[in-house]
Amino acid sequence: MNFQPSEVTLEVARAARDFAAREIRPYVMEWDEQQHFPLEVLQSLGKLGMMGVLVPEQYGGAGLGYFEYNAVIQEIAKVCGSIGLSVAAHNSLCTNHILSFGSEEQKKQWLPKLATAEWIGAWGLTEPNTGSDAGNMKTTAVKDGDHWILNGTKNWITHGRSSHLAVVVCRTGEPRTRSNATAFVVERGTPGFTGGKKENKLGMRASETAEMIFENCRIPDSHRLGVVGDGFRQALTILDGGRISIAALSVGIAKGAFEAARQYAQERHQFDQPIANFQGISFKLADMATEITAAELLVAQCCDLKERHEKVTKQSAMAKYYASETAVKVATDAVQIFGGYGYTKDFPVEKYYRDAKLCTIGEGTSEIQKIVIAREALQG
């Protein structure tokens, strides 16, 4: 693969970097403290094409590729992981599910609003008692003539309350049987579809995480994505791409923490010299820089495979696993380099520290990634 970014990728990265510096950085801690979800920021990003990066221009998107998408997520996450998470979930989960599995009519109906962020999207797979065990989901969809009736609760859903539209995977067969799930699009305002509890989280606090509740929610069959029973296969495909998003998010957070720690280590003096001169600090920075670069290359490999329309299951799991664990390690070391100041909210690294942990959990825990990697590796 070619490791030299294209001019388009560099320009997209600059635009995302400038936007983050101007529209996000001044408000990061305010949003974090108040758990405020800045919907207007996502809508502004939509006007720049960053909420529909992968969506073809014919549906109102930017018509760009995975390298540009990776650049957007990284640059925003370097400033605020919460906004990076929201951009990732909207693009790679909800919007990409419709783009990948919707009919032409469905794409024309929903993608233009999602790609411009006129509508914000959510994606519902996880439930209170079925996280990694998604095959045993309790949310059901029962056919009733030309409609389906949905009942159940999804949780840990990004934009679970504020989204205008959600792609929801429901059980349409018996528990733990093959082909027992189907994906549907549910618009906000549909009777029986409501937002539930908003989670009070350790990190990523400006990205809304909430329940979605369905109580005899009736939707037309035209809102079904693909054939009946294909929902779980679709979800696994979407998660392959989604893991690239979380890996990019992790790299962005790690870069933000590293840059803050590097600057501090050069400015902070002890014993009449910058602490960066001490081997204990410089070796931490060396490890951080090396691991970030390795994670970045894993993500780039995934982007290259996606651009060539090749299978990415093993590589995306590797990238997500390694990059997310790297983000946690780098953020931890950044706090250590800052010392006591790193433990306060007056400096940025404590937020990177809190935000990074979600990356090892969302869209499949590190343990699930190792299962996927091992299974793929054993197949040769």
Side-chain angles (χ1 to χ4, degrees), residues 11-227:
E11 183 57 38
V12 168
R14 279 193 291 268
R17 189 183 313 124
D18 291 345
F19 180 91
R22 184 178 65 253
E23 304 292 340
I24 299 175
R25 189 180 297 278
Y27 313 104
V28 165
M29 290 312 298
E30 177 186 336
W31 294 340
D32 183 78
E33 292 284 345
Q34 297 177 5
Q35 293 201 81
H36 171 67
F37 173 51
L39 180 62
E40 68 284 356
V41 171
L42 298 190
Q43 291 170 334
S44 294
L45 282 165
K47 293 176 182 177
L48 296 176
M50 295 181 189
M51 298 297 280
V53 181
L54 302 171
V55 177
E57 292 181 59
Q58 68 191 88
Y59 303 119
L64 298 172
Y66 268 82
F67 286 103
E68 290 75 38
Y69 177 52
N70 171 38
V72 168
I73 298 299
Q74 282 198 34
E75 290 296 339
I76 293 174
K78 280 167 66 175
V79 174
C80 181
S82 296
I83 307 304
L85 175 62
S86 280
V87 172
H90 176 91
N91 272 283
S92 69
L93 297 179
C94 176
T95 303
N96 196 43
H97 199 137
I98 296 172
L99 177 63
S100 300
F101 297 104
S103 66
E104 186 63 22
E105 182 180 348
Q106 289 170 332
K107 291 176 185 177
K108 289 178 179 177
Q109 181 177 358
W110 291 308
L111 288 180
K113 292 181 179 179
L114 291 168
T116 58
E118 178 184 347
W119 282 14
I120 300 299
W123 192 76
L125 178 65
T126 304
E127 299 183 359
N129 296 309
T130 57
S132 301
D133 185 17
N136 194 33
M137 68 179 69
K138 300 296 189 290
T139 299
T140 59
V142 177
K143 190 77 183 294
D144 182 28
D146 292 331
H147 288 75
W148 293 84
I149 299 176
L150 278 55
N151 281 287
T153 299
K154 299 290 185 179
N155 73 337
W156 306 115
I157 307 303
T158 304
H159 313 148
R161 281 183 174 183
S162 297
S163 59
H164 301 83
L165 172 154
V167 173
V168 186
V169 181
C170 303
R171 183 163 55 80
T172 49
E174 294 301 314
R176 300 196 186 285
T177 59
R178 292 179 62 85
S179 304
N180 72 340
T182 306
F184 301 90
V185 174
V186 187
E187 295 182 5
R188 190 71 61 178
T190 303
F193 174 30
T194 57
K197 174 189 175 185
K198 180 179 177 180
E199 303 296 341
N200 184 8
K201 299 174 297 182
L202 169 73
M204 302 290 197
R205 289 168 60 84
S207 179
E208 180 186 270
T209 305
E211 293 178 323
M212 294 193 302
I213 300 170
F214 303 91
E215 297 177 305
N216 293 321
C217 178
R218 188 179 182 87
I219 59 171
D221 187 56
S222 60
H223 285 213
R224 171 173 46 84
L225 293 171
V227 300

Side-chain angles (χ1 to χ4, degrees), residues 325-358:
E325 294 290 342
T326 293
V328 171
K329 183 177 182 300
V330 168
T332 301
D333 285 345
V335 170
Q336 195 71 17
I337 288 170
F338 271 78
Y341 292 113
Y343 205 66
T344 73
K345 293 184 181 293
D346 294 329
F347 292 84
V349 289
E350 66 85 29
K351 183 177 184 296
Y352 290 120
Y353 180 80
R354 290 185 288 109
D355 287 349
K357 188 57 193 171
L358 184 277

